[in-house]
Amino acid sequence: MRPSPPERVAEYRRRGWWRGQTIDALFRAAVAVRADAEALVDAPNRQALAGTPPQRLTYAELDRRVDALCHVLAGLGVGRGDVVATQLPNLVEGVVAFLACARMGAILSPVAMAYRGHELRQILPSVEPKAYITVGEFHGCDHAAMLVELKAEGVTAAEIVSLGAAPPAGAMALDVLMAEAPAAPFDTPADLDAAEALTICWTSGTEAMPKGVPRHHDHWVVNGEALVEAAGLQVGDTILNPFPLINIAAIGGMVMTWLLAQGRLVQHHPFDLPIFLGQMQDEGVAYTVAPPAVLNMLLQNEALLDGTDLSKLRCLGSGSAPLSPWMVKGWQERHGVTVMNVFGSNEGTSLFSTGEAIPDPELRARYFPRFGAQGVNWPAAFPAKIRTRLVDVDSGEEITEPGREGELRIAGAMTFDGYWKAPEITAQAFDDDGYFRTGDLFEIAPDGGGRYYRFVGRCKEIIIRGGLNISPAELDVLIEGHPKVREASCAAYPDERLGERVCAVVALRPGESLTLEELNAHLKAHDIATFKLPERLRIVDALPRNALGKVLRRELSGVVAA
């Protein structure tokens, strides 16, 4: 499967935007020159996550591990173009699975650990994975047992492989399969092309169904190149990854940067501040990411950093919520660390407020460079591979003057080509000129000489909780299935740590009452991911609607905040 039209592939390679180089070729090149260097490191709490000790692998050891998993997957019937699904915490196995799929020409489809049967019943029939790699008990859910049940329902025919020594009946132990795998190299198909699909990641928008985002090798390489340049990474740098390996933030922002820098990737999961700070010091981390609230807290409580050696740390990425100018300035002045403001999405929205593009830390917190805007040039290489513009939501007119908000639209080398098996949604996602409609509102900043964007808000009705997208439409439908509910609509309310949380606004049937606990018990019975559960409930007489009967979700903000 090739996500990009051949003419786009040819044009972007002619321009030098895409290399035409596979991920496996990049990995083999790193192995050739860094064989004995440490490549991949587990978090120190792996024992609690997977029941086995933390692992530290050199490039040569990782290469052999990738070969072994290729043999295992091939033995399970996985071939070129077949899908391998994973549902894993941040363990070395997630990276091994990504590299194994790249080596054998398979397609990796990673799903969030929080996904349950509700989401998996939508995803798995769509991608039809040949194999599913997961763990057992994790945060109150036995994932391997859940998959066995789904397989018995006919949701999937995948061979189920589980980490740990005692998988449930119907699943196989990955450690046993790896130990029995041939100790021989696995040959990549000689004609494997970098335009062949490598991943299908999942995202949520205004639609109730999760949407698959296919990407090929060229997509991933250019995304990694952008972050290497933006973060100023050097050969051999250590990168600390707190993101689950399920989307562009982790794969493009962490795994690909590690691979291109031929450095060391240190895994972290779930977010635990003492462990995170310990890893930053003990592993000599040069680049990592953290939520704005965490970076704020560390500056406000310097005692938390007492005794922590951050001398190797050069850059911190942050985003998903507005950054405080005092925080960005504080990290730069007190610790010599550049905080890079990041705005991105699975579909390829890529704006990075780097220290080079915006040296002033307070401006960097508030603005994003107008990468790819006509007539605005930047010294770095990757902005030339991006195209952006602002469009008036009502008139469709392109906005070129400061102070007027419009939807950010983006095209270029980092942007995806369309959703998985969803031609109608794909058609709506792009405008007539091929720009992706991000659903995010920006304005050209009045100061800065027209070189900066300022984020205003969203015109798409998604809720972003801790970096994870939640479709309010999906929740609305499920909540309206409650026997006490007449109508419902979910909206976001701000949260300092997670950016946003979910509030359910509900109109009840006559004579009924409802608690948040009752509502969430109803939703849990539908087996939805726990991060989607509302954390606030507001009861109203009726939902605000326009003349056509559509719920005015923006007008719910006052109700939610009450």
Side-chain angles (χ1 to χ4, degrees):
M1 194 263 288
R2 294 173 179 258
S4 296
E7 58 272 17
R8 182 173 300 151
V9 175
E11 173 65 12
Y12 285 6
R13 288 182 183 174
R14 184 190 66 78
R15 294 187 182 193
W17 291 3
W18 289 347
R19 290 190 188 193
Q21 188 174 25
T22 67
I23 304 299
D24 187 60
L26 284 174
F27 176 54
R28 289 182 188 273
V31 173
V33 297
R34 303 269 292 166
D36 297 327
E38 201 166 64
L40 187 58
V41 179
D42 264 326
N45 60 335
R46 177 192 168 103
Q47 186 79 42
L49 298 180
T52 51
Q55 301 178 41
R56 308 180 78 95
L57 302 175
T58 66
Y59 274 94
E61 291 167 338
L62 178 57
D63 187 39
R64 291 192 290 271
R65 192 74 64 89
V66 170
D67 279 333
L69 184 56
C70 286
H71 285 296
V72 168
L73 293 173
L76 297 176
V78 176
R80 185 174 179 177
D82 288 331
V83 172
V84 176
T86 55
Q87 192 174 24
L88 294 168
N90 266 9
L91 308 172
V92 298
E93 283 82 1
V95 179
V96 173
F98 175 72
L99 295 173
C101 286
R103 178 161 292 180
M104 64 193 308
I107 301 171
L108 180 72
S109 188
V111 300
M113 288 299 294
Y115 278 8
R116 299 293 185 261
H118 175 74
E119 293 82 14
L120 296 178
R121 288 183 182 92
Q122 297 170 337
I123 289 171
L124 297 184
S126 172
V127 293
E128 298 180 316
K130 288 289 185 68
Y132 196 106
I133 304 174
T134 189
V135 293
E137 185 74 23
F138 182 83
H139 281 193
C141 175
D142 188 328
H143 291 77
M146 175 177 65
L147 260 294
V148 171
E149 292 179 6
L150 291 173
K151 186 171 181 178
E153 290 179 21
V155 173
T156 180
E159 298 290 351
I160 302 165
V161 180
S162 178
L163 275 67
M172 295 169 278
L174 179 61
D175 289 348
V176 173
L177 294 176
M178 293 284 279
E180 295 174 349
F186 189 95
D187 294 329
T188 301
D191 61 343
L192 184 66
D193 189 86
E196 293 181 39
L198 174 56
T199 59
I200 301 172
C201 297
W202 297 92
T203 187
S204 296
T206 55
E207 299 80 13
M209 292 279 288
K211 297 176 299 206
V213 178
R215 285 190 175 274
H216 49 62
H217 301 247
D218 275 326
H219 275 142
W220 284 124
V221 173
V222 75
N223 274 276
E225 287 173 336
L227 260 296
V228 166
E229 191 174 12
L233 294 176
Q234 302 168 8
V235 173
D237 272 344
T238 296
I239 298 164
L240 176 58
N241 174 37
F243 287 137
L245 291 176
I246 57 172
N247 55 27
I248 199 168
I251 299 174
M254 295 282 149
V255 175
M256 289 308 305
T257 54
W258 154 72
L259 191 55
L260 287 159
Q262 298 182 350
R264 184 168 56 142
L265 183 67
V266 178
Q267 299 282 62
H268 180 92
H269 190 114
F271 191 82
D272 182 293
L273 186 59
I275 293 175
F276 188 73
L277 293 176
Q279 288 178 294
M280 286 172 67
Q281 171 180 282
D282 298 344
E283 305 291 351
V285 171
Y287 172 64
T288 189
V289 295
V294 170
L295 299 184
N296 293 347
M297 178 185 63
L298 290 173
L299 282 185
Q300 291 167 337
N301 300 273
E302 286 282 349
L304 293 171
L305 293 175
D306 284 351
T308 302
D309 181 4
L310 301 178
S311 59
K312 297 289 183 65
L313 185 66
R314 299 195 305 274
C315 184
L316 281 164
S318 194
S320 77
L323 305 190
S324 301
W326 67 265
M327 179 270 286
V328 178
K329 183 179 180 181
W331 275 96
Q332 185 163 309
E333 293 184 347
R334 295 188 215 173
H335 301 287
V337 175
T338 297
V339 175
M340 178 172 62
N341 197 355
V342 180
F343 189 90
S345 71
N346 258 326
E347 289 87 350
T349 308
S350 303
L351 298 178
F352 312 112
S353 288
T354 67
E356 181 182 42
I358 308 182
D360 185 316
E362 294 183 301
L363 287 180
R364 196 184 323 131
R366 296 164 52 208
Y367 299 145
F368 295 93
R370 289 183 65 204
F371 290 155
Q374 189 171 0
V376 184
N377 298 312
W378 301 92
F382 73 87
K385 304 173 185 178
I386 300 170
R387 297 286 180 265
T388 66
R389 64 183 184 181
L390 297 186
V391 174
D392 186 278
V393 175
D394 296 318
S395 69
E397 176 189 359
E398 184 166 356
I399 296 171
T400 56
E401 69 272 21
R404 179 181 167 194
E405 72 177 41
E407 181 185 34
L408 177 70
R409 298 189 182 176
I410 190 161
M414 296 182 219
T415 307
F416 84 134
D417 293 275
Y419 295 109
W420 173 252
K421 294 184 178 179
E424 292 183 1
I425 296 176
T426 296
Q428 296 168 4
F430 292 87
D431 66 20
D432 293 340
D433 296 313
Y435 281 70
F436 173 64
R437 306 172 189 266
T438 66
D440 298 300
L441 297 174
F442 284 78
E443 68 175 9
I444 299 170
D447 51 349
R451 293 178 62 79
Y452 305 139
Y453 286 130
R454 185 181 75 86
F455 177 68
V456 175
R458 285 196 299 274
C459 50
K460 282 187 176 179
E461 298 173 340
I462 59 170
I463 300 168
I464 304 180
R465 183 188 187 277
L468 295 173
N469 287 5
I470 299 170
S471 164
E474 176 188 23
L475 292 177
D476 297 350
V477 170
L478 294 174
I479 292 171
E480 287 179 345
H482 193 289
K484 294 184 177 181
V485 173
R486 187 176 81 251
E487 57 179 359
S489 187
C490 290
Y493 65 93
D495 179 78
E496 184 182 73
R497 185 171 67 88
L498 295 172
E500 293 178 331
R501 294 179 187 264
V502 179
C503 177
V505 182
V506 173
L508 298 175
R509 296 183 184 279
E512 298 288 1
S513 62
L514 183 70
T515 66
L516 181 63
E517 290 72 23
E518 287 179 284
L519 175 62
N520 282 337
H522 168 77
L523 291 173
K524 288 176 182 178
H526 284 81
D527 211 12
I528 70 167
T530 54
F531 70 85
K532 299 178 182 179
L533 295 175
E535 294 168 271
R536 185 177 287 177
L537 173 64
R538 294 289 182 263
I539 306 297
V540 297
D541 293 332
L543 299 179
R545 297 180 183 272
N546 64 15
L548 298 176
K550 180 179 174 60
V551 174
L552 299 172
R553 208 178 295 270
R554 284 191 181 186
E555 293 191 10
L556 295 176
S557 57
V559 178
V560 167

